[in-house]
Amino acid sequence: MTNAYSIEQRRPELYEAALQTVRLSDRTRGHSSTFQSILLRKSEADPEYTKIHDVWDGLGQIEVDEYLDVKMTTRPRRWKTVFQPIAAAAMLFLTVGIVLFLSGRPPAYETAIGEQRNVMLPDGSEMVLNTDTRAIVRYDRNFRHLEIERGEAWFDVAHDTSRPFIVHAGDSQVRAVGTSFLVRRNDERVDVTLLSGIVEVTRGENSAEKIELVPGDRLRQSEVHPSIAIDQPQIEVVTAWRQGQLILNETPVAEALNEMNRYSNNKIRLASSLAAEAKLSGVFRLSDSRAFAESVAEIYDLNLYEDNGYLTLAPRRVLR
């Protein structure tokens, strides 16, 4: 039987969409067309509302207060205030329960290139997704499982010793109870940076080897080779994206360009092997790749021009 715990744990974003739908129905009672038009607009902006919209239509466009008015006309009005939240909760669980039954999929959260997203998880933990990230949440009564399929996420984990918080990224599992850390995954490696608390990192489902990190540690684990390295990066550098910034400190230009390209569809490419060996320092806005490219061009006396959709940096002598 669907209950509040399983709904909130299994599909938190669906639960929130259904909850807002029931509240919206209450606010727009007696105006079915208004309710339906608002819900339709929400459906176009959020796929979870599409599921709720379809189920609501299938239920015959029931409105909670109108239902109560019909069923309770012979009862004193004071009973309406008692049963109204019960009926609303029943409608909420019915709506979400049907969608859960039909979908059976764990919730997935995604960001587009250049987008960031804050997600409050059902247990009170917070997850912030960086650009081009996809995360899947699988909660149950014993564990809090999350998987980073790609991208980067910051976690502030609510303390709960009875349910470990485990983040899967490739072959790596990051186990925490109450702590704050970053996980970044690309095709080449997984990075885990601990900001506070303690985490254990293992490789492989059945691995007995556990690496315990302390605040300030960053574990870098190759996705291609069985290699692991631990360093202590500047925390303000690895977390600068949360303030919309890219902080560079003697960073190779080619690496800096790759980092900036994560945040924009307007990619920058370097047509000069000489500048690729140079270093770059400074603070740049992630939302303005052109300004970044212009800065690089000015510093290294390069031409900047658009070519086949790219912002291209090249030595002045080769520009026609």
Side-chain angles (χ1 to χ4, degrees):
M1 180 177 180
T2 303
N3 54 48
Y5 181 88
S6 63
I7 290 172
E8 291 187 65
Q9 304 302 333
R10 293 171 56 195
R11 296 299 300 273
E13 84 292 7
L14 196 60
Y15 176 89
E16 182 63 26
L19 182 61
Q20 291 188 39
T21 298
V22 172
R23 288 172 177 167
L24 178 63
S25 174
D26 181 63
R27 291 197 301 271
T28 58
R29 60 184 180 271
H31 301 280
S32 179
S33 60
T34 301
F35 167 69
Q36 289 295 328
S37 63
I38 296 175
L39 188 55
L40 183 59
R41 289 200 302 273
K42 285 179 172 289
S43 299
E44 293 172 349
D46 188 335
E48 299 307 329
Y49 278 100
T50 301
K51 302 184 183 73
I52 298 299
H53 186 272
D54 292 343
V55 171
W56 199 278
D57 280 345
L59 292 175
Q61 301 179 3
I62 297 173
E63 292 190 17
V64 173
D65 282 313
E66 289 185 359
Y67 178 83
L68 288 171
D69 286 339
V70 171
K71 292 297 183 182
M72 299 177 63
T73 51
T74 60
R75 298 177 182 270
R77 287 192 59 82
R78 59 189 175 88
W79 284 102
K80 181 174 180 178
T81 61
V82 175
F83 284 101
Q84 182 171 339
I86 297 175
M91 181 63 69
L92 169 65
F93 295 150
L94 175 61
T95 304
V96 179
I98 292 173
V99 177
L100 283 172
F101 176 77
L102 294 175
S103 64
R105 295 188 299 272
Y109 299 90
E110 292 187 72
T111 53
I113 293 175
E115 180 188 8
Q116 294 178 4
R117 181 179 180 183
N118 288 61
V119 179
M120 187 61 68
L121 297 170
D123 63 327
S125 298
E126 185 178 1
M127 174 174 67
V128 182
L129 304 182
N130 198 2
T131 177
D132 192 22
T133 297
R134 178 178 169 86
I136 298 175
V137 179
R138 297 182 178 91
Y139 273 26
D140 58 36
R141 294 185 182 275
N142 299 314
F143 293 95
R144 296 171 287 175
H145 287 280
L146 298 95
E147 181 181 357
I148 303 298
E149 290 192 345
R150 67 173 187 275
E152 183 175 22
W154 172 86
F155 298 96
D156 188 12
V157 180
H159 188 80
D160 185 352
T161 56
S162 66
R163 286 202 303 160
F165 190 97
I166 302 174
V167 177
H168 304 261
D171 288 337
S172 300
Q173 289 88 47
V174 184
R175 185 185 183 100
V177 176
T179 186
S180 178
F181 62 98
L182 293 167
V183 176
R184 176 171 170 176
R185 180 186 183 187
N186 57 34
D187 293 337
E188 297 179 353
R189 70 170 186 260
V190 172
D191 292 352
V192 180
T193 306
L194 181 60
L195 306 179
S196 65
I198 298 175
V199 298
E200 291 180 344
V201 183
T202 60
R203 181 163 190 162
E205 293 290 342
N206 301 315
S207 175
E209 181 183 3
K210 297 179 181 179
I211 300 175
E212 187 175 284
L213 304 183
V214 298
D217 281 352
R218 175 175 61 185
L219 181 146
R220 317 195 88 176
Q221 184 165 284
S222 173
E223 290 276 80
V224 182
H225 307 289
S227 62
I228 294 176
I230 296 178
D231 62 3
Q232 289 76 37
Q234 293 178 287
I235 296 301
E236 64 271 19
V237 172
V238 296
T239 60
W241 59 269
R242 296 202 59 206
Q243 285 73 50
Q245 296 178 336
L246 173 64
I247 299 178
L248 303 175
N249 184 14
E250 292 295 303
T251 305
V253 170
E255 181 181 331
L257 295 184
N258 289 337
E259 191 65 20
M260 178 59 78
N261 282 340
R262 295 175 60 209
Y263 297 88
S264 176
N265 287 307
N266 198 13
K267 305 298 184 185
I268 308 168
R269 66 180 178 184
L270 189 63
S272 169
S273 59
L274 296 177
E277 301 301 322
K279 308 293 184 182
L280 190 61
S281 297
V283 180
F284 304 90
R285 293 196 306 274
L286 293 174
S287 61
D288 197 342
S289 59
R290 177 173 285 277
F292 175 80
E294 289 172 349
S295 297
V296 176
E298 182 177 356
I299 292 170
Y300 294 105
D301 193 28
L302 299 170
N303 273 307
L304 173 64
Y305 59 97
E306 292 194 25
D307 180 32
N308 293 324
Y310 287 89
L311 291 172
T312 302
L313 293 162
R316 293 187 181 279
R317 65 179 180 273
V318 301
L319 181 64
R320 293 194 299 269

